[in-house]
Amino acid sequence: MSELTGGEALAIYARNPVILLLMGSHEDQGPHAPMGDYLSADAIAERIGRRATEGGVETLVAPVLPFGGADYFGAMPGGIALEQATLRAVLTDMFACLLRHGLTRLIVINGHGGNVQAVHDATQQVLRKHGVLIPSLYLWRIGYGLLPDILGADMAKRAAGHGADPLTSVAMHLFPHLMRPDLVPSPSPLYQVMGLDAVSFGNVHFEDVEIQVPVEYDAMAPNGIRNGDPRLCSPETGAALVERLTELGARFARHYVEHGA
C-alpha cells in the first residue's frame, strides 16, 4: 500500500482488494536474534500478498505496525510496546479509515501473542457495528502447529519455544545477516516463582495445573529463551515454515473472497 501513488490507489481501491493488516512486536527474542521480530511477520505478509495476487486474488499489504501489545516483556531495555487499551484504539482507528472508503476485505496478519486479545476486541467491535468480519492469522501459533510435520514430533517439542522455533528458524532464513549464531545460548533450566516451575510466560506449575502469575520475563527467562532449544533451529526449518505459511495465507485469502468477504 505504501508504494502506490495516489492515482494508482484510486483505481485499485475501487475494486475492494484484500488488504493484509500487519502486526508484530519489538521485544527480546534471545541474545542471538533481532528484537524487531515484526520484520519476519512483514516479510511473510509480503509473500502472502504476492502469492495470493499471482493466484488471482488481488491483495495488498499495509505498512507494518511494529509495536505489539504490552505483555510480559516490559523489563527488556529497548523494548517498545503499546498498552492494550492503546493498541485497541490504534486498531479501531486503522479499521475505521479503511471501512470509511468501502474497503471491507481485511485480514490481520499477526506476529505477536500480546496482540491477540486487542485484535479480538477491535474486530469484534467492527463486526457488531458494521457487520464486517475481519479474520486474523497468528503466524507463530500456526507455526508451532506446523513444526511436528517439518521436524518430527520429538524434535519439534525440543526446538519449540520463545527465542527458539518457529521464530528463530524463520529469522535465520529471512535475515541471516541480522542473526548472531555466536551468541546462541544453551537451554536454560526452568526458573521458579514462589518455589514453582515457571512453565511459560505468566504461568507456573502447581500440582497438576497451571497458575497465572503477573511477573515479567526477567523472572522467568532472563535471556529471552523459554522452553525451546535455539541450537536446534536452522534456516532450512525456517524456509519450510515460510513456504507453508505463505501458501496457507494465500489459500486463505482466496477462501475469504470466495465465501462472501
Side-chain angles (χ1 to χ4, degrees):
M1 291 177 71
S2 60
E3 296 175 1
L4 295 176
T5 68
E8 291 169 335
L10 286 173
I12 291 173
Y13 295 138
R15 300 193 291 266
N16 194 18
V18 172
I19 295 177
L20 306 181
L21 294 166
L22 183 49
M23 307 176 66
S25 68
H26 190 268
E27 66 179 45
D28 188 5
Q29 286 291 337
H32 58 288
M35 289 181 64
D37 71 5
Y38 68 86
L39 295 168
S40 292
D42 191 9
I44 291 173
E46 182 176 339
R47 285 163 171 76
I48 291 172
R50 292 185 185 279
R51 183 78 56 90
T53 299
E54 290 166 358
V57 178
E58 189 172 31
T59 303
L60 298 177
V61 181
V64 64
L65 181 61
F67 305 128
D71 51 7
Y72 303 107
F73 292 93
M76 175 61 186
I80 302 174
L82 304 178
E83 292 293 337
Q84 291 291 322
T86 304
L87 182 57
R88 286 193 297 272
V90 169
L91 288 169
T92 298
D93 287 350
M94 291 170 62
F95 296 148
C97 290
L98 298 171
L99 293 170
R100 174 181 177 178
H101 297 284
L103 297 168
T104 59
R105 293 175 170 174
L106 310 177
I107 301 174
V108 175
I109 303 295
N110 177 28
H112 177 50
N115 296 339
V116 171
Q117 188 61 49
V119 170
H120 172 78
D121 294 345
T123 55
Q124 191 172 68
Q125 183 181 33
V126 168
L127 181 62
R128 290 171 176 169
K129 186 175 181 180
H130 301 283
V132 175
L133 181 64
I134 304 174
S136 174
L137 280 67
Y138 178 15
L139 293 176
W140 312 137
R141 180 176 292 168
I142 297 170
Y144 279 116
L146 296 173
L147 281 172
D149 189 51
I150 295 171
L151 296 176
D154 179 65
M155 177 71 81
K157 184 176 181 180
R158 290 187 288 133
H162 193 272
D165 270 337
L167 196 47
T168 287
S169 284
V170 167
M172 293 172 81
H173 169 60
L174 293 174
F175 310 108
H177 59 291
L178 298 180
M179 301 298 290
R180 289 291 305 272
D182 56 310
L183 298 180
V184 173
S186 302
S188 300
L190 289 178
Y191 286 82
Q192 291 196 330
V193 178
M194 301 185 302
L196 302 171
D197 285 341
V199 293
S200 61
F201 291 117
N203 292 278
V204 295
H205 201 183
F206 176 70
E207 297 181 355
D208 295 324
V209 300
E210 289 190 10
I211 306 296
Q212 286 70 53
V213 291
V215 297
E216 293 190 315
Y217 95 108
D218 55 338
M220 296 189 164
N223 67 353
I225 308 299
R226 177 71 272 157
N227 293 336
D229 185 347
R231 298 173 303 176
L232 301 177
C233 300
S234 72
E236 292 76 20
T237 298
L241 284 164
V242 168
E243 171 58 27
R244 294 192 187 199
L245 288 167
T246 298
E247 183 59 28
L248 184 146
R251 291 200 311 271
F252 181 76
R254 174 171 292 281
H255 177 89
Y256 182 54
V257 169
E258 291 177 347
H259 288 77

